[in-house]
Amino acid sequence: METAIGKPAAAPDKMSRKTYEQELYKLHVELVKLQEWAKATGAKICVLFEGRDGAGKGGVIKAITERVSPRVFRVVALPPPSDREKSQMYAQRYVPHLPAAGEIVIFDRSWYNRAGVERVMGFCTDKQARRFLETIGSMEKTIIDSGILLIKYWLEVSQEEQTRRIEQRISDPRKIWKLSPMDLKSYNRWYDYSRARDEMFAMSDTEWAPWHVVQSDDKKRTRLNVITHLLSKVPYEPPKREPIKLPKRQKPKGYTEPPYARHRVPEVF
């Protein structure tokens, strides 16, 4: 339950790992059905994930994609633009990554970088950011008119939880790769990001491409809620499949396994 952006109500009881995995299993089954439906119908689906640093975008995306085909569910996480890309129309470098028939493309940050991190950190001017926000609605309308289903998520984390997660990245050697110099520079600009987010919502929360806000302090519930909502936004139907029967193996006809003793991986465990 949420009372305002960035201000969650009292947290519910912690969800057990067993309950989480049981619910995630059921959602993974539905995601496979969605995948097969997209392949069969040629559907084109584009999902954007935006949010504050440490809001859990990567974990949500991993939960969506860990049991489906990367040939259908493609994750796009673009690096900083090259000098050539900086000279292009701003959204131009994102266009080649939009889905073709039978694809579900997930943007781990998107063209909304211009309205968020680029604006707050001074990589573009306020004038450039506002110009982007004035025109992005018509671009997204064009994307939708081309037959792409566009779904936009904003993950919002509280100040306290963001601090906890970033401190965890500093102390855990498995997570240090998640912490960039930009994260540290932007950490103390919480309210600059809040103002940028508010203007982004005001100018790009359109009837045809609304923003869906997710309070993400509870990682397990966030992942389950986002996947459930995503499935609800797509009118998929599982395609009919013939029963599968495993065929018999061929007979060896004198074949014997050779002793592959060289270059064997040591059995340390």
Side-chain angles (χ1 to χ4, degrees):
M1 182 177 178
E2 184 182 348
T3 56
I5 292 178
K7 296 181 179 179
D13 293 338
K14 185 176 180 180
M15 178 178 288
S16 70
R17 168 61 62 175
K18 182 178 179 180
T19 299
Y20 169 70
E21 291 181 349
Q22 287 173 340
E23 295 300 324
L24 188 60
Y25 175 89
K26 291 184 283 187
L27 293 173
H28 280 159
V29 171
E30 293 303 313
L31 286 169
V32 171
K33 293 177 183 178
L34 169 60
Q35 169 183 277
E36 298 306 298
W37 172 83
K39 288 163 57 179
T41 62
K44 298 179 288 185
I45 303 169
C46 183
V47 187
L48 310 187
F49 282 98
E50 295 287 344
R52 297 183 186 273
D53 294 329
K57 297 179 292 297
V60 171
I61 292 170
K62 183 178 179 181
I64 293 171
T65 59
E66 63 183 346
R67 296 293 180 178
V68 291
S69 170
R71 296 184 182 88
V72 179
F73 279 79
R74 290 197 296 109
V75 179
V76 177
L78 297 184
S82 65
D83 289 341
R84 180 177 184 275
E85 288 171 330
K86 289 177 183 177
S87 71
Q88 295 175 340
M89 181 181 72
Y90 177 72
Q92 185 174 338
R93 76 188 191 116
Y94 293 95
V95 172
H97 299 281
L98 292 172
E103 291 183 342
I104 301 168
V105 171
I106 299 174
F107 280 94
D108 184 353
R109 295 199 181 277
S110 66
W111 42 85
Y112 283 100
N113 266 348
R114 171 127 299 185
V117 64
E118 290 190 16
R119 184 178 195 178
V120 173
M121 301 307 295
F123 297 126
C124 73
T125 65
D126 279 349
K127 182 178 180 180
Q128 288 174 317
R130 288 197 178 93
R131 177 59 181 159
F132 162 79
L133 289 170
E134 288 168 357
T135 59
I136 194 59
S138 58
M139 173 188 154
E140 290 179 348
K141 185 68 162 59
T142 300
I143 290 172
I144 292 166
D145 289 345
S146 75
I148 294 174
L149 175 59
L150 178 63
I151 305 170
K152 303 187 303 192
Y153 290 106
W154 174 272
L155 271 60
E156 185 64 40
V157 66
S158 67
Q159 292 189 47
E160 296 77 15
E161 181 63 14
Q162 185 193 52
T163 298
R164 189 188 71 81
R165 292 179 185 179
I166 291 178
E167 287 177 342
Q168 199 174 57
R169 293 177 183 181
I170 294 171
S171 61
D172 190 336
R174 300 168 301 172
K175 298 181 178 181
I176 192 66
W177 64 272
K178 294 183 177 182
L179 188 66
S180 70
M182 190 59 58
D183 294 335
L184 296 176
K185 290 179 181 178
S186 64
Y187 174 74
N188 69 342
R189 300 192 180 187
W190 177 273
Y191 293 106
D192 289 341
Y193 274 100
S194 294
R195 293 183 183 94
R197 176 204 61 198
D198 294 348
E199 186 169 359
M200 182 186 77
F201 283 170
M203 298 183 70
S204 63
D205 185 35
T206 57
E207 181 181 349
W208 53 88
W211 280 103
H212 304 287
V213 178
V214 187
Q215 185 63 43
S216 65
D217 278 16
D218 186 320
K219 290 183 179 181
K220 294 188 185 76
R221 286 186 168 87
T222 296
R223 294 165 189 174
L224 298 178
N225 288 334
V226 170
I227 297 174
T228 300
H229 183 269
L230 173 61
L231 290 166
S232 76
K233 302 303 290 184
V234 185
Y236 71 98
E237 295 180 359
K240 293 181 180 179
R241 300 184 64 172
E242 295 296 325
I244 299 173
K245 185 178 180 181
L246 198 63
K248 292 182 178 180
R249 292 192 192 276
Q250 65 179 162
K251 296 185 180 298
K253 296 181 180 179
Y255 176 81
T256 58
E257 289 283 348
Y260 285 114
R262 298 178 60 203
H263 311 303
R264 185 184 293 275
V265 175
E267 296 180 359
V268 179
F269 299 101

